[in-house]
Amino acid sequence: MTAILWLRRDLRRADHPALLAARDAADGDLVVAFVLDPALWAGAGPVRRAWLAATLEATNAEYDDALTLLWGDPRTEIPALAERVGATSVHVTRETTPFGRRRDAAVAHTLASSGVDWVETGTPYAVGPGLVRNGSGTAYKVFTPFAKAWRAHGWPDPAPRPSSLPLREARGDAEATAAVREALAAPDLPEMPGAGEQAAAVRWQGFLDDALTAYTGDRDLPGIDGTSRMSPYLKLGVVHPRTLLADLTSRRGEGKETYATELAWREFYADVLWHNPSSAWHDLRDALNGMAYDEPADAIEAWQTGTTGYPVVDAGMRQLLGQGWMHNRVRMITASFLTKDLHVWWPVGARHFLDHLIDGDVASNNHGWQWVAGTGTDASPYFRVFNPVTQGEKFDPDGDYVRQWVPELAHLPGKAVHQPWEHPDGYAHGYPKRIVDHAEERREALRRLDGVKGS
């Protein structure tokens, strides 16, 4: 019998329960496949396409060049593949996003009509979304009690990596191969990390050895390499969070607990999306119904291009364009600037981030935006408006991060980079003037909040 393993957000060979289930079901051949959906591919943006393409190449190497790449709608491509190879079962890691769940239901229905088994094994998370419940059996709405219950629930040990597999030779589509090559050759791509399981393992081990001990304090400082940078690998399932959590158990100190809590945030947001599918692109809470939002095209463009005149905001937006990644603290600062200083509804920023972030994950990204905007779970109150100057001075006290990404300010010493308007040579090298006055826009944000409360 032939079995198919359909990869999606699980582009790895290690700690892969669905792979083991597919191997055990394959008395004959195991076909490992990935489908490039033209609709998703076209909407992903060049950075995300290139990161996926690089990861697919690395995954193909992990599977001994036996990855079958298909081009088309998975709802038709997977059933057609099953018929072509005579598969009796299709194996997947359980999907958790609203779109993925709808797609999988359609594929499973079509396969069932042909007598092909649909088998879901495992989840992209340590604890599958929907499994952590409170005492009354309902979902958690606040992070802290969720995290406590999540830890108490626990998770299995990592699954073993199979040493050998009965892999069938890859027979993919020319369109899919061409799309991957074109994505990797796209012009003006940012500098990206190494792709695939081996690159992820090297990065993770380096973090454990060099940065975990100081992680609690260093993770908020964008000017140093104090974070794990594992989010791009987690996004595509190159590494499973269960693997990371297992590796943390042998470590000592506060850093490992802080890092586990950051993973819990990722799992919490996936749980929120599971229970509230519409929150992907709509306010989770209706506390700000009636809020007046603006769509200032020129100001939004300045935000997107890192030319707002506020150094830490501009540094973050330029890092996004330059690396396809942005430090988490700066994500909050830039999101606050768009939503509170420019009064733009959060989905505008969330879509821009997803276009450029190689770790762009709908659950984490969009609920993070809602946290800042004041519409989400555990939301930062709307009246909490990040001051881009004081945030820069606090988290980039020596100005190293700003000088790295805003070369027009490289001549300014120390924290002077955060207020170039106060330095006689602040604009000597062409740095743009501020597009808004933060103090005035803060007052405007609070005025709009009062209007919502009044209504």
Side-chain angles (χ1 to χ4, degrees), residues 3 18 20-21 76 131 170 174 202 220 251 302 306 316 329 337 383 420 424 426 447:
L20 299 180
T76 57
L131 296 180
V202 170
D220 271 329
R251 301 288 169 154
R329 168 56 58 173
F337 188 85
F383 58 77
R447 185 192 67 78

Side-chain angles (χ1 to χ4, degrees), residues 145-174:
F146 170 88
K148 183 178 179 180
W150 174 78
R151 289 175 185 268
H153 183 284
W155 40 83
D157 292 333
R161 177 189 177 95
S163 57
S164 62
L165 295 168
L167 296 169
R168 174 178 285 198
E169 180 182 354
R171 294 183 180 178
D173 296 338

Side-chain angles (χ1 to χ4, degrees), residues 207-216 244-260:
F207 171 74
L208 290 176
D209 294 342
D210 302 331
L212 179 62
T213 301
Y215 176 72
T216 300
L244 306 185
L245 288 162
D247 288 344
L248 289 174
T249 59
S250 62
R251 301 288 169 154
R252 296 179 179 274
E254 183 183 4
K256 76 169 191 176
E257 299 301 329
T258 303
Y259 193 87

Side-chain angles (χ1 to χ4, degrees), residues 74-124:
R75 292 173 295 182
T76 57
E77 291 298 323
I78 291 298
L81 176 65
E83 181 178 5
R84 189 161 62 248
V85 302
T88 56
S89 60
V90 172
H91 297 258
V92 298
T93 299
R94 182 177 298 106
E95 186 52 84
T96 63
T97 66
F99 171 82
R101 291 159 69 183
R102 292 193 301 271
R103 176 203 60 205
D104 285 4
V107 174
H109 177 75
T110 302
L111 290 172
S113 66
S114 301
V116 178
D117 292 336
W118 173 262
V119 185
E120 297 180 337
T121 310
T123 167

